PDB file of all heavy atoms in Angstrom:
ATOM      1  N   ALA M 106     -62.766 181.508  32.003  1.00 94.00           N
ATOM      2  CA  ALA M 106     -62.688 180.183  32.616  1.00 94.00           C
ATOM      3  C   ALA M 106     -61.547 179.374  32.001  1.00 94.00           C
ATOM      4  O   ALA M 106     -60.812 178.667  32.710  1.00 94.00           O
ATOM      5  CB  ALA M 106     -64.013 179.458  32.435  1.00 94.00           C
ATOM      6  N   ALA M 107     -61.378 179.458  30.690  1.00 94.00           N
ATOM      7  CA  ALA M 107     -60.330 178.683  30.009  1.00 94.00           C
ATOM      8  C   ALA M 107     -58.926 179.221  30.285  1.00 94.00           C
ATOM      9  O   ALA M 107     -57.964 178.468  30.296  1.00 94.00           O
ATOM     10  CB  ALA M 107     -60.600 178.664  28.505  1.00 94.00           C
ATOM     11  N   SER M 108     -58.818 180.539  30.471  1.00 94.00           N
ATOM     12  CA  SER M 108     -57.492 181.146  30.644  1.00 94.00           C
ATOM     13  C   SER M 108     -57.067 181.343  32.078  1.00 94.00           C
ATOM     14  O   SER M 108     -55.893 181.459  32.402  1.00 94.00           O
ATOM     15  CB  SER M 108     -57.476 182.514  29.956  1.00 94.00           C
ATOM     16  OG  SER M 108     -58.345 183.421  30.611  1.00 94.00           O
ATOM     17  N   GLY M 109     -58.051 181.406  32.966  1.00 93.00           N
ATOM     18  CA  GLY M 109     -57.733 181.722  34.359  1.00 93.00           C
ATOM     19  C   GLY M 109     -57.433 183.184  34.576  1.00 93.00           C
ATOM     20  O   GLY M 109     -56.943 183.557  35.617  1.00 93.00           O
ATOM     21  N   GLY M 110     -57.742 184.028  33.583  1.00 92.00           N
ATOM     22  CA  GLY M 110     -57.460 185.452  33.671  1.00 92.00           C
ATOM     23  C   GLY M 110     -58.741 186.268  33.590  1.00 92.00           C
ATOM     24  O   GLY M 110     -59.838 185.766  33.768  1.00 92.00           O
ATOM     25  N   THR M 111     -58.551 187.557  33.308  1.00 90.00           N
ATOM     26  CA  THR M 111     -59.654 188.512  33.212  1.00 90.00           C
ATOM     27  C   THR M 111     -59.658 189.168  31.872  1.00 90.00           C
ATOM     28  O   THR M 111     -58.655 189.727  31.448  1.00 90.00           O
ATOM     29  CB  THR M 111     -59.531 189.582  34.332  1.00 90.00           C
ATOM     30  OG1 THR M 111     -59.519 188.949  35.590  1.00 90.00           O
ATOM     31  CG2 THR M 111     -60.670 190.590  34.250  1.00 90.00           C
ATOM     32  N   VAL M 112     -60.809 189.113  31.169  1.00 89.00           N
ATOM     33  CA  VAL M 112     -60.896 189.772  29.880  1.00 89.00           C
ATOM     34  C   VAL M 112     -60.863 191.276  30.064  1.00 89.00           C
ATOM     35  O   VAL M 112     -61.662 191.845  30.823  1.00 89.00           O
ATOM     36  CB  VAL M 112     -62.186 189.350  29.142  1.00 89.00           C
ATOM     37  CG1 VAL M 112     -62.398 190.194  27.881  1.00 89.00           C
ATOM     38  CG2 VAL M 112     -62.156 187.867  28.779  1.00 89.00           C
ATOM     39  N   LEU M 113     -59.928 191.934  29.367  1.00 87.00           N
ATOM     40  CA  LEU M 113     -59.751 193.391  29.496  1.00 87.00           C
ATOM     41  C   LEU M 113     -60.329 194.127  28.296  1.00 87.00           C
ATOM     42  O   LEU M 113     -60.854 195.213  28.453  1.00 87.00           O
ATOM     43  CB  LEU M 113     -58.264 193.731  29.648  1.00 87.00           C
ATOM     44  CG  LEU M 113     -57.553 193.063  30.808  1.00 87.00           C
ATOM     45  CD1 LEU M 113     -56.073 193.454  30.819  1.00 87.00           C
ATOM     46  CD2 LEU M 113     -58.193 193.478  32.136  1.00 87.00           C
ATOM     47  N   THR M 114     -60.174 193.546  27.113  1.00 85.00           N
ATOM     48  CA  THR M 114     -60.775 194.165  25.920  1.00 85.00           C
ATOM     49  C   THR M 114     -61.402 193.068  25.069  1.00 85.00           C
ATOM     50  O   THR M 114     -60.960 191.907  25.100  1.00 85.00           O
ATOM     51  CB  THR M 114     -59.739 194.928  25.066  1.00 85.00           C
ATOM     52  OG1 THR M 114     -58.820 194.010  24.456  1.00 85.00           O
ATOM     53  CG2 THR M 114     -58.943 195.912  25.906  1.00 85.00           C
ATOM     54  N   TRP M 115     -62.403 193.463  24.306  1.00 85.00           N
ATOM     55  CA  TRP M 115     -63.129 192.515  23.458  1.00 85.00           C
ATOM     56  C   TRP M 115     -63.559 193.252  22.218  1.00 85.00           C
ATOM     57  O   TRP M 115     -64.433 194.110  22.243  1.00 85.00           O
ATOM     58  CB  TRP M 115     -64.341 191.982  24.241  1.00 85.00           C
ATOM     59  CG  TRP M 115     -65.125 190.902  23.546  1.00 85.00           C
ATOM     60  CD1 TRP M 115     -66.047 191.034  22.547  1.00 85.00           C
ATOM     61  CD2 TRP M 115     -65.054 189.505  23.843  1.00 85.00           C
ATOM     62  NE1 TRP M 115     -66.536 189.819  22.198  1.00 85.00           N
ATOM     63  CE2 TRP M 115     -65.946 188.855  22.980  1.00 85.00           C
ATOM     64  CE3 TRP M 115     -64.318 188.763  24.753  1.00 85.00           C
ATOM     65  CZ2 TRP M 115     -66.137 187.481  22.997  1.00 85.00           C
ATOM     66  CZ3 TRP M 115     -64.504 187.387  24.761  1.00 85.00           C
ATOM     67  CH2 TRP M 115     -65.402 186.747  23.902  1.00 85.00           C
ATOM     68  N   ASP M 116     -62.914 192.974  21.085  1.00 84.00           N
ATOM     69  CA  ASP M 116     -63.200 193.647  19.864  1.00 84.00           C
ATOM     70  C   ASP M 116     -63.174 192.638  18.726  1.00 84.00           C
ATOM     71  O   ASP M 116     -62.179 191.913  18.545  1.00 84.00           O
ATOM     72  CB  ASP M 116     -62.160 194.762  19.593  1.00 84.00           C
ATOM     73  CG  ASP M 116     -62.457 195.554  18.359  1.00 84.00           C
ATOM     74  OD1 ASP M 116     -63.288 196.499  18.432  1.00 84.00           O
ATOM     75  OD2 ASP M 116     -61.871 195.259  17.297  1.00 84.00           O
ATOM     76  N   ASP M 117     -64.248 192.558  17.963  1.00 83.00           N
ATOM     77  CA  ASP M 117     -64.336 191.551  16.931  1.00 83.00           C
ATOM     78  C   ASP M 117     -63.194 191.671  15.906  1.00 83.00           C
ATOM     79  O   ASP M 117     -62.732 190.673  15.357  1.00 83.00           O
ATOM     80  CB  ASP M 117     -65.671 191.653  16.170  1.00 83.00           C
ATOM     81  CG  ASP M 117     -66.835 191.189  17.064  1.00 83.00           C
ATOM     82  OD1 ASP M 117     -66.581 190.434  17.999  1.00 83.00           O
ATOM     83  OD2 ASP M 117     -67.977 191.587  16.779  1.00 83.00           O
TER      84      ASP M 117
END
Side-chain angles (χ1 to χ4, degrees):
S108 66
T111 301
V112 172
L113 303 178
T114 69
W115 186 280
D116 183 82
D117 289 338

